[in-house]
């Protein structure tokens, strides 16, 4: 194997590449998790509807907190990774003045909704939960449209989430503190193909 294939992107090179990509019409949304370049699938209408529904629930529970869609975050234990969660739940104004790649320090929960692409299994179910736990984000909510399940990851120990609750669509699940919201997943049945 050539040495070029073993190299990983540095954060500076990745961020420059991501800035360049944003200038292109219909540009891909780039991420770099554990030094591997990834392309985040474009949001489809159902994914957008899920994020809108979840945003409404979050602001009803606490109008001083907001679910930010696609805010870039610096992740991993050393903050050298870059992810664009479908949603980042934080106090209103948490990312003001931070630019495209923000500190995750004020994030209470990240949300990912699985896409229908080939690397969603590795990215959303394996790499991102680990990276978000290393980052110390208290809750990772995975809305899995393939299995029609919701997974709530909590209690990050710096390596992994120690507690994972999985429920099928239609059940109610509690998003633990510091989120503190009870989530009725019944509506998700309407937005999965």
């Amino acid at each position: 194997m050539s040495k070029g294939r073993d190299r990983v992107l540095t954060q500076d090179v990745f961020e420059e590449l991501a800035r360049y990509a944003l200038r292109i019409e219909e540009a891909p949304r780039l991420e770099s998790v554990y030094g591997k370049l990834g392309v985040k699938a474009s949001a489809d209408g159902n994914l957008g509807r899920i994020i809108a529904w979840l945003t409404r629930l979050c602001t009803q529970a606490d109008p001083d907190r907001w679910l930010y869609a696609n805010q870039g975050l610096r992740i991993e234990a050393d903050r050298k990774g870059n992810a664009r969660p479908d949603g980042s739940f934080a106090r209103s104004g948490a990312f003001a003045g931070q630019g495209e790649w923000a500190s995750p320090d004020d994030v209470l929960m990240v949300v990912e909704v699985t896409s229908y692409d080939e690397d969603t299994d590795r990215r959303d179910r394996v790499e991102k939960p680990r990276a978000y736990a290393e980052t110390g984000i208290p809750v990772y909510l995975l809305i899995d449209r393939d299995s029609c399940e919701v997974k709530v990851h909590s209690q990050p120990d710096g390596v992994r989430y120690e507690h994972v609750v999985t429920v099928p669509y239609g059940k109610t699940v509690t998003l633990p503190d510091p989120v503190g919201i009870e989530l009725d997943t019944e509506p998700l049945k309407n937005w999965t193909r």
Side-chain angles (χ1 to χ4, degrees):
M1 182 179 278
S2 77
K3 289 185 179 190
R5 290 185 186 164
D6 293 335
R7 291 189 345 208
V8 296
L9 288 175
T10 66
Q11 187 169 24
D12 290 339
V13 170
F14 169 77
E15 288 183 12
E16 183 177 335
L17 179 62
R19 274 191 300 277
Y20 177 76
L22 286 176
R23 295 182 202 144
I24 301 169
E25 189 175 334
E26 297 184 33
R29 296 179 301 155
L30 301 178
E31 298 181 302
S32 177
V33 180
Y34 297 112
K36 293 183 233 165
L37 181 64
V39 176
K40 183 139 179 129
S42 296
D44 58 60
N46 284 340
L47 188 150
R49 183 63 184 100
I50 290 168
I51 295 301
W53 164 77
L54 196 54
T55 299
R56 181 178 305 126
L57 293 174
C58 289
T59 55
Q60 286 173 347
D62 184 345
D64 293 328
R65 299 187 297 183
W66 188 255
L67 187 68
Y68 295 86
N70 296 306
Q71 171 62 56
L73 297 177
R74 288 197 169 104
I75 60 166
E76 300 171 20
D78 57 10
R79 304 297 190 266
K80 291 185 179 177
N82 299 77
R84 290 189 188 280
D86 293 314
S88 296
F89 187 55
R91 66 177 167 71
S92 182
F95 302 119
Q98 292 197 50
E100 184 179 359
W101 302 103
S103 166
D105 292 346
D106 292 327
V107 176
L108 306 174
M109 174 178 71
V110 288
V111 179
E112 295 286 0
V113 179
T114 58
S115 56
Y116 299 109
D117 59 0
E118 62 189 45
D119 68 342
T120 198
D121 182 56
R122 174 187 49 79
R123 188 180 60 249
D124 294 339
R125 298 182 189 108
V126 178
E127 292 174 351
K128 284 189 176 179
R130 189 175 109 211
Y132 294 148
E134 285 180 11
T135 305
I137 296 171
V139 177
Y140 170 46
L141 174 63
L142 176 64
I143 298 173
D144 195 324
R145 296 189 291 173
D146 292 324
S147 64
C148 296
E149 295 176 324
V150 171
K151 290 187 184 230
V152 180
H153 301 75
S154 61
Q155 300 174 11
D157 68 2
V159 177
R160 70 186 65 75
Y161 285 102
E162 292 184 348
H163 195 252
V164 180
V165 173
T166 304
V167 300
Y169 286 3
K171 300 262 182 175
T172 298
V173 66
T174 299
L175 302 177
D177 287 336
V179 179
I181 297 173
E182 194 162 280
L183 190 62
D184 176 6
T185 66
E186 183 69 29
L188 293 171
K189 292 178 180 180
N190 299 316
W191 306 312
T192 299
R193 60 174 160 155

